[in-house]
C-alpha cells in the first residue's frame, strides 16, 4: 500500500457518501426546509443567536469539533497497525459519527437551538433531562481541564506557536469588527484576515514567545513555571471568549483558524499523494496490541476499546454539544446544516486519514521499531510526536522546506485545533450550567440571575478546569475525558434515533440512526467495563479516573432504560414534542 492510494480512496468515499447517504438523511430524516426560519433569525439577540455565512459557520464548527482527538487518537491506535485504525475511521465516520453530528445539529435547530440534553429531557422524561444536564457539565469540566493541559504544554514546548496564537486572537477581533461593524465585503475581509494570518505565522517563527529560558524541556522546573503561566493566560482567555458576543472573537477566530486547518490538510494531503510513498509500518499487528496505559501498558482488544482511543476522527460525543450548543444558534438556513454538521465530520475523518498515512510512511524510521515489536512497544515510542515528525518529513521531502519549518507548522496546526475546542467547551459549559439551574427560576429569581450570569457561569467552569490542569498531567485526565465523551456520544445518538423515529416519522430511515446508536451503546458500555476491570491505576488517578467512569457507566444504564421506555410509546404521544 502507498500514501496516494489511501488518500484518494478516502477522498472518493467522503465525496460520494456526502452526495448520496448524506443527501438521503437530509431529505428522508431531517426533511430540511430552506423556507423555515432558523433560531438564528427568530431569536436573534446579537450575542449567541447570530446568523452566519455558511462557510464561516462551517469553519467555526469544524475548528471547534476538531480538537486533539482526530490526531492523537489515530496516532495512538497505530499500535494495532494502520489497517484496523483506517477501517474504523472510515466506517465510524460515515455511518456513526457524521450521522450523530448532523442529527444533533438539526434536532437542535428545530427546538430553538436548545441543547441535546434538553431535547433528551423533552422526548424521554424530566428525570432524563436533569441527569443528562449534570452529566454534560461534568464531562465538559474534564474537557476544559484536558485541553487546558494539552494546550499549555504545546505552547510551552513550542514558543513559535505561542507568538502566532496571541497574534491570531488580535487579528480575529479586528476581523470581527471589520465584518460586523464596518461591514466590509466578506471576501475582502477574508483576504485581509488570511494575509494577516500569514504574517502572524512568519512573526511566530522568527520571534518565539519564551517565558523562561529552558522551558521547552518537559519535566524541568523551567517547564513547570512556563506551563503554569500558560494555565493562567488560557483561563483568562476562555472566560472572555465564552462570555463575549460570538461575533467579537469566537466566529472570526474559528473562521480564520479553519484556513490554517484547511491549508494544513491540503499542504500535507497533496504532498503525500504526489510522493506516493510506500507504507513501512505493519498493516496489522494484533487484535490485542498494547494501547491503553495505566501504571503499565496492557493488552487492549481492538473491539471494544477502540472508541476510547479513536474519538473525533470516527465519532465523538463532544460534537453533539457543539452542534446543539453554538452551531445551531448560528445556522442561517436549514439547507446549510448538511455542510456544517455532516461535512464537518467528514473533514475530520480526512484529517485522521492523513495522520495514519504520515505515521504509516515514516513511523518505523522515526520510532526505530522493527515491525515485529510494533504491537507491544509502539505505545511507549510512538504517538502525537510521530505524526508531527512524519508530517514534517513528508512536506520537507516534497516541497523542499526544512524539517524544522515542517515541525513548527505541524505544531501550530495542532495547537489551533486544541485552542478552538477549549474555548467552545467553556462556552458550552456555561450553557449547560444555565440550563441545570433553570429549575430554580420560579422559586428564587434573584439566586437564578446571579448563579446563571454568563460571567459567573464561565468563571466557574474555567477556574475549576484550570485547577485540575494545574496539578494533573494530560495523560491523567485524558482517559476520564475519553470515557465520558464516548458515553455521551451513545446517549446523544439514542436521542437522535428517538427524534427521527417518533417526531420526524422517518419510517425505515429511522434504522439508519437506531442501528449505529445501539451498536455504539453496546461497544462503549463493554469498553468501559473492560477498562474499569482491567487497566491498572493507582492513587489519586485511580479515584479520579475509575470513579468518574463508574458514575458515568451507571448513569448510562439509567439513560438507556429511559430510552427503552420512551421508544415503546406510540408516535401519537409525541405530537406535543414536535417542533
Amino acid at each position: 500500500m502507498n500514501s496516494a492510494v489511501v488518500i484518494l480512496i478516502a477522498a472518493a468515499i467522503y465525496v460520494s457518501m456526502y452526495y448520496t447517504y448524506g443527501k438521503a438523511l437530509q431529505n428522508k430524516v431531517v426533511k430540511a426546509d430552506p423556507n423555515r426560519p432558523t433560531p438564528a433569525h427568530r431569536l436573534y439577540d446579537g450575542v449567541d443567536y447570530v446568523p452566519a455565512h455558511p462557510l464561516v459557520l462551517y469553519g467555526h464548527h469544524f475548528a471547534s469539533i476538531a480538537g486533539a482527538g482526530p490526531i492523537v487518537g489515530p496516532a495512538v491506535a497505530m499500535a494495532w497497525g494502520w489497517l484496523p485504525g483506517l477501517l474504523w475511521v472510515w466506517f465510524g465516520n460515515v455511518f456513526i459519527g457524521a450521522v450523530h453530528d448532523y442529527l444533533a445539529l438539526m434536532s437542535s435547530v428545530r427546538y430553538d437551538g436548545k441543547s441535546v440534553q434538553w431535547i433528551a429531557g423533552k422526548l424521554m422524561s424530566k428525570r432524563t433531562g436533569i441527569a443528562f444536564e449534570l452529566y454534560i457539565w461534568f464531562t465538559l469540566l474534564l474537557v476544559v481541564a484536558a485541553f487546558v493541559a494539552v494546550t499549555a504544554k504545546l505552547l510551552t514546548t513550542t514558543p513559535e506557536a505561542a507568538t502566532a496564537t496571541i497574534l491570531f486572537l488580535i487579528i480575529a477581533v479586528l476581523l470581527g469588527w471589520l465584518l460586523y461593524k464596518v461591514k466590509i465585503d466578506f471576501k475582502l475581509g477574508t483576504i485581509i484576515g488570511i494575509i494577516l494570518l500569514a504574517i502572524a505565522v512568519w512573526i511566530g517563527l522568527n520571534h518565539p514567545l519564551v517565558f523562561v529560558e529552558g522551558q521547552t524541556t518537559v519535566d524541568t522546573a523551567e517547564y513547570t513555571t512556563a506551563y503554569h503561566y500558560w494555565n493562567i493566560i488560557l483561563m483568562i482567555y476562555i472566560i472572555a471568549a465564552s462570555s463575549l458576543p460570538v461575533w467579537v472573537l469566537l466566529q472570526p477566530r474559528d473562521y480564520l483558524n479553519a484556513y490554517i486547518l484547511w491549508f494544513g490538510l491540503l499542504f500535507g494531503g497533496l504532498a503525500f499523494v504526489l510522493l506516493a510513498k510506500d507504507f513501512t509500518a505493519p498493516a496489522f499487528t494484533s487484535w490485542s496490541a498494547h494501547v491503553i496505559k495505566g501504571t503499565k501498558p496492557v493488552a487492549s482488544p481492538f473491539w471494544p476499546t477502540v472508541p476510547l482511543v479513536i474519538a473525533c476522527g470516527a465519532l465523538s460525543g463532544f460534537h453533539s454539544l457543539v452542534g446543539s450548543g453554538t452551531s445551531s444558534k448560528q445556522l442561517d438556513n436549514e439547507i446549510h446544516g448538511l455542510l456544517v454538521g455532516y461535512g464537518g465530520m467528514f473533514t475530520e475523518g480526512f484529517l485522521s486519514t492523513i495522520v495514519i498515512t504520515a505515521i504509516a510512511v515514516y513511523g518505523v524510521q522515526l520510532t526505530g521499531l522493527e515491525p515485529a515489536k510494533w504491537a507491544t512497544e509502539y505505545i511507549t515510542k510512538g504517538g502525537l510526536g510521530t505524526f508531527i515528525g512524519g508530517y514534517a518529513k513528508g512536506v520537507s521531502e516534497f516541497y523542499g522546506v526544512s524539517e524544522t519549518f515542517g515541525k513548527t507548522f505541524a505544531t501550530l496546526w495542532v495547537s489551533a485545533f486544541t485552542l478552538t475546542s477549549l474555548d467552545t467547551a467553556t462556552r458550552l459549559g456555561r450553557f449547560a450550567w444555565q440550563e441545570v439551574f433553570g429549575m430554580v427560576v420560579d422559586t428564587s429569581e434573584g439566586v437564578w440571575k446571579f448563579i446563571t450570569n454568563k460571567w459567573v457561569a464561565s468563571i466557574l467552569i474555567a477556574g475549576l478546569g484550570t485547577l485540575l490542569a494545574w496539578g494533573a498531567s494530560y495523560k491523567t485526565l485524558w482517559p476520564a475525558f475519553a470515557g465520558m465523551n464516548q458515553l455521551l456520544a451513545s446517549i446523544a445518538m439514542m436521542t437522535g434515533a428517538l427524534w427521527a423515529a417518533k417526531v420526524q416519522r422517518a419510517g425505515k430511515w429511522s434504522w439508519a440512526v437506531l442501528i449505529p446508536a445501539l451498536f455504539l451503546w453496546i461497544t462503549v458500555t463493554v469498553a468501559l467495563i473492560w477498562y474499569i476491570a482491567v487497566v491498572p491505576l493507582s492513587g489519586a488517578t485511580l479515584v479520579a479516573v475509575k470513579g468518574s467512569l463508574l458514575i458515568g457507566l451507571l448513569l448510562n444504564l439509567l439513560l438507556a432504560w429511559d430510552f427503552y421506555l420512551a421508544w415503546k410509546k406510540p408516535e401519537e404521544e409525541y405530537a406535543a414534542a414536535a417542533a
Side-chain angles (χ1 to χ4, degrees), residues 151 155 215 224 276 351 383 390 432 466 468 529 541:
T151 308
L155 298 180
Q215 68 178 46
T224 302
L351 166 62
T466 304
L468 284 173
I529 293 172
T541 307

Side-chain angles (χ1 to χ4, degrees), residues 426-506:
T426 309
R427 196 176 195 88
L428 295 174
R430 169 165 73 82
F431 293 156
W433 182 261
Q434 291 168 330
E435 289 187 0
V436 165
F437 285 94
M439 66 185 81
V440 304
V441 65
D442 294 330
T443 56
S444 181
E445 187 176 354
V447 172
W448 174 78
K449 281 186 177 178
F450 172 75
I451 207 164
T452 62
N453 176 274
K454 65 181 181 181
W455 291 99
V456 173
S458 298
I459 289 170
L460 187 65
I461 191 168
L464 289 176
T466 304
L467 190 63
L468 284 173
W470 190 274
S473 72
Y474 165 72
K475 290 182 179 178
T476 301
L477 298 165
W478 191 261
F481 152 68
M484 296 287 276
N485 181 51
Q486 302 306 65
L487 272 177
L488 169 61
S490 71
I491 300 167
M493 196 84 180
M494 286 192 288
T495 303
L498 200 59
W499 180 69
K502 303 294 186 179
V503 178
Q504 293 298 99
R505 302 191 179 187

Side-chain angles (χ1 to χ4, degrees), residues 28-48:
K28 304 292 185 182
V29 178
V30 172
K31 301 171 184 173
D33 181 358
N35 299 314
R36 184 198 296 254
T38 63
H41 291 283
R42 288 189 289 103
L43 304 173
Y44 176 84
D45 63 3
V47 178
D48 296 320

